[in-house]
Amino acid sequence: MAALSPLNCPTSSSSSSCSRITPSSPCFSSRTLSLSSSSFKKFLPKKISLQFPRYWNVLKTQDGAVAATASPSENVTPLKNLKDVLSSVTSSKEVREATNFDTNEHDSTVSIVVVGASGDLAKKKIFPALFALYYEDCLPKHFTVFGYARSKMTDAELRDMVSRTLTCRIDKRENCSEKMEQFLKRCFYHSGQYDSEKNFAELDTKLRDHEGGRVSNRLFYLSIPPNIFTEVVKCASKSASSANGWTRVIVEKPFGRDAESSAALTRDLKQYLVEDQIFRIDHYLGKELVENLSVLRFSNLIFEPLWSRQYIRNVQFIFSEDFGTEGRGGYFDNYGIIRDIMQNHLLQILALFAMETPVSLDAEDVRNEKVKVLRSMKPLQLENVVVGQYKSHTKGGVTYPAYTDDKTVPKGSLTPTFAAAALFINNARWDGVPFLMKAGKALHSKIAEIRVQFRHVPGNLFNRSFGTDLDRATNELVIRVQPDEGIYLKINNKVPGLAMRLDRSNLNLHYAARYSKEIPDAYERLLLDAIEGERRLFIRSDELDAAWALFTPVLKELEEKKVMPEFYPYGSRGPVGAHYLAARHNVQWGDISAEHPQV
């Protein structure tokens, strides 16, 4: 391993890519140059640990980046000197000159190993996202993509498989076919068993051949079932981890089925990894509108003062799909809609929405605030949950199947395909405000959105104009995550004319109309963050524990009591019970009477 020094620090998570990112690059951001950013914090590790052979990398910073075999005493002086130098300069240019930090592209490389490369997720999401990053010049100059799976396949066959899913959907600045060809030349394949250290050692040999003696940084994406996570991590840690750079692992959900299995999975992974090397991915956190949630709140003075129980009556998180399990019923039946959508996607968005202002945008500061929100919430009660399951329905001469008609689903299954829940946060900001979640399959539309309903105007002079339905006069902020991304605010407005007639209007930010650039896929953002070592949009272990603590009791109660789901027709708005649940908390679902703005 290379010795850690301020002149050439292989621990930098951006060392492999910073030479590719310029102010004109689409991947350029303030964190690239800011002294307070995570990039430069990696030069100043808060702790250094030497723990053989348990962890993949011998010497690691708090960031999880790994670099050296020098003893702690050997590192004290250069690190202290580097810190003194950094504190005396103000610009990024001065930092580079003062540290002589070598960002030469020839000194490091990134190897991205997609474990489970023959699966649907890899073919439909991961490889296309990597190509999009390459097309946008966001990947380092030296990178290699390796597919690893049990299927027998040659490099040429992998490239043929991958090429079928690649599209140049981003600005056509360069010839699409040329970029595809260049990208595919960097894609290789190795067949092996997931529990074979020998096969991973063979992979390591191939990786080293392509790395060509450079500082090797390795990212493993586990696109495989969770029951083999530990075996893969064990084999890779012993046989294919980086010898002189960082090694990181992206883990796909589900992260267990309940608090106990999740904790067991975390313990197993931490036999071979430290927390900072584990990137638990929830692709919803990479959605553009979810990423924009903090910007909307914390950079607009108009919203932050209103973001509390004083002005907000309820908040709704709505997720619906207009199709059923369609052959995935066997997998889905083991988890159900609560585990599949609510406990992760919707709860993560809730935590981002409700958190207090973090000290900074540093990953740990943001995740600390999210954990505080989750720990402040009351465990979900069965009385505040409604579950449903779609049944067969004929519409327009077409018969749509019931959930249990799926041949991969056990007959008589009680697994919910729909759930609605009311949650509460016990803190000064949100006390008494219901946070309602609703998620389901085979519903009338495909949509994901956040709806913030504000309180009624006290002593409203124009109540008579709205009649008895005061909800019509309620201001509502809608953040449409997908599809047709947008943000709109419902306000009351006078209709032009001599009479005093009021109307509800939308102040609308429609992304497709406002921005010509196509919105990147969530996997692109998250993969780039993992390569750069940015953890803000990934889930920490204590955050995962707090999330499961909220849902595990009610999940066990549903299963132990064999609660019968309420059936709803395929293509409908879901069970009637969901409306009764909302009414019990004096709430009307916003998507029921929603007039989505047309642009």
Side-chain angles (χ1 to χ4, degrees), residues 19-264:
S19 58
R20 299 281 283 171
I21 300 175
T22 66
S24 61
S25 167
C27 300
F28 177 80
S29 68
S30 59
R31 74 173 179 233
T32 311
L33 298 179
S34 171
L35 285 179
S36 62
S37 71
S38 59
S39 298
F40 285 103
K41 285 184 178 180
K42 294 178 181 67
F43 299 136
L44 305 172
K46 296 178 182 177
K47 70 175 183 180
I48 295 177
S49 61
L50 287 165
Q51 302 189 33
F52 262 83
R54 180 180 176 192
Y55 301 133
W56 294 41
N57 304 299
V58 185
L59 180 62
K60 70 173 285 294
T61 66
Q62 189 170 8
D63 170 64
V66 174
T69 56
S71 66
S73 60
E74 293 172 333
N75 285 280
V76 171
T77 301
L79 287 173
K80 183 178 185 301
N81 291 342
L82 177 59
K83 187 172 183 179
D84 292 339
V85 171
L86 287 176
S87 64
S88 66
V89 294
T90 56
S91 72
S92 58
K93 181 179 180 181
E94 288 174 300
V95 170
R96 289 193 296 270
E97 292 173 351
T99 59
N100 288 323
F101 178 65
D102 187 3
T103 57
N104 193 320
E105 297 169 332
H106 300 284
D107 289 341
S108 63
T109 183
V110 174
S111 298
I112 303 165
V113 181
V114 182
V115 182
S118 58
D120 281 348
L121 178 64
K123 289 185 286 189
K124 295 177 180 179
K125 291 293 185 181
I126 302 173
F127 285 113
L130 288 170
F131 171 65
L133 290 174
Y134 175 72
Y135 190 85
E136 284 282 274
D137 290 328
C138 291
L139 293 180
K141 181 175 182 180
H142 297 292
F143 79 91
T144 305
V145 179
F146 256 87
Y148 184 97
R150 290 175 295 197
S151 305
K152 298 295 183 182
M153 200 184 309
T154 64
D155 292 345
E157 288 171 333
L158 173 78
R159 291 165 183 164
D160 180 63
M161 179 191 78
V162 170
S163 67
R164 298 173 194 168
T165 61
L166 302 186
T167 58
C168 287
R169 60 168 184 74
I170 307 177
D171 302 335
K172 309 289 192 299
R173 291 190 305 273
E174 298 184 48
N175 184 279
C176 181
S177 60
E178 287 182 7
K179 296 291 281 188
M180 280 189 184
E181 186 177 348
Q182 293 165 10
F183 175 77
L184 291 172
K185 285 180 180 178
R186 295 171 180 254
C187 295
F188 303 90
Y189 185 78
H190 184 72
S191 175
Q193 297 299 312
Y194 294 131
D195 59 353
S196 171
E197 292 183 26
K198 177 184 176 183
N199 292 157
F200 274 91
E202 295 166 352
L203 172 65
D204 178 67
T205 300
K206 289 185 178 181
L207 290 175
R208 282 190 279 110
D209 289 343
H210 287 278
E211 290 162 350
R214 303 180 183 92
V215 172
S216 64
N217 300 311
R218 296 181 180 178
L219 177 65
F220 289 80
Y221 196 121
L222 305 191
S223 178
I224 51 178
N227 61 311
I228 54 176
F229 282 170
T230 305
E231 286 299 324
V232 169
V233 168
K234 174 185 175 182
C235 295
S237 69
K238 292 184 175 181
S239 305
S241 61
S242 172
N244 58 2
W246 51 255
T247 302
R248 297 173 185 143
V249 180
I250 296 179
V251 182
E252 272 280 353
K253 77 173 185 72
F255 313 116
R257 296 188 76 256
D258 51 29
E260 292 78 12
S261 59
S262 174

Side-chain angles (χ1 to χ4, degrees), residues 5 11 13 34 48 59 67 72 142 176 218 306 322 396 399 404-405 486 550 564 572 580 586-587 597:
S5 76
T11 66
S13 66
S34 171
I48 295 177
L59 180 62
H142 297 292
C176 181
R218 296 181 180 178
L306 305 180
D322 56 1
T399 299
T404 50
D405 289 339
L550 294 173
M564 180 68 67
S572 68
Y580 287 113
N586 197 28
V587 175

